Amino acid sequence: MADCVFCKIIAGEIPAATLIETDKVISFLDINPVNPGHALVMPKRHVASLLDLTQDELHVTSFLAKRVATAVCEATGSPAFNILENNGRAAGQLVDHVHFHVIPRSPDDGFDLGWRQLSYEEGRLQALRDDIRKRL
Ligand code: AMP
């Protein structure tokens, strides 16, 4: 897609610190990392959301994310990592070309996901479970 920064990287029109690429997928370092070694992994085909991926694209992309996570953790000496994938502005997606973030983590690295833990009102958990199950 013409105005997509990741498509421009894939087309070789702008530079990136590429880690690996095949005909279907690519991984390069995030230009503004959460931690050094923070990598992005994505299919080359331009789609915005995880929901737009074919089963094969999802398989190949997530498998590459696993390989990249292993290499990034080894290279940075990190004992842990997050894999994050944002879909839509409300979820924090800034670039509308689906991508996995592979973020190496270490104790006290100062990154806080801000993961809150709410509680359900009486009956709400069961009602939601039933509604979601109907749609699967
Ligand atoms: P998201 O908010 O999930 O869409 O993440 C987009 C990510 O793309 C951010 O972490 C940016 O730092 C990263 N990014 C944007 N432009 C570039 C670029 N030219 N090269 C590498 N990473 C980029």
Side-chain angles (χ1 to χ4, degrees), residues 22-34:
T22 70
D23 57 328
K24 290 205 169 116
V25 283
I26 187 168
S27 176
F28 49 84
L29 292 178
D30 194 295
I31 203 166
N32 295 127
V34 168

Side-chain angles (χ1 to χ4, degrees), residues 53-68:
L53 290 175
T54 65
Q55 189 168 333
D56 183 57
E57 285 170 331
L58 179 57
H59 175 251
V60 172
T61 308
S62 55
F63 191 72
L64 183 61
K66 174 187 167 181
R67 286 185 62 200
V68 168

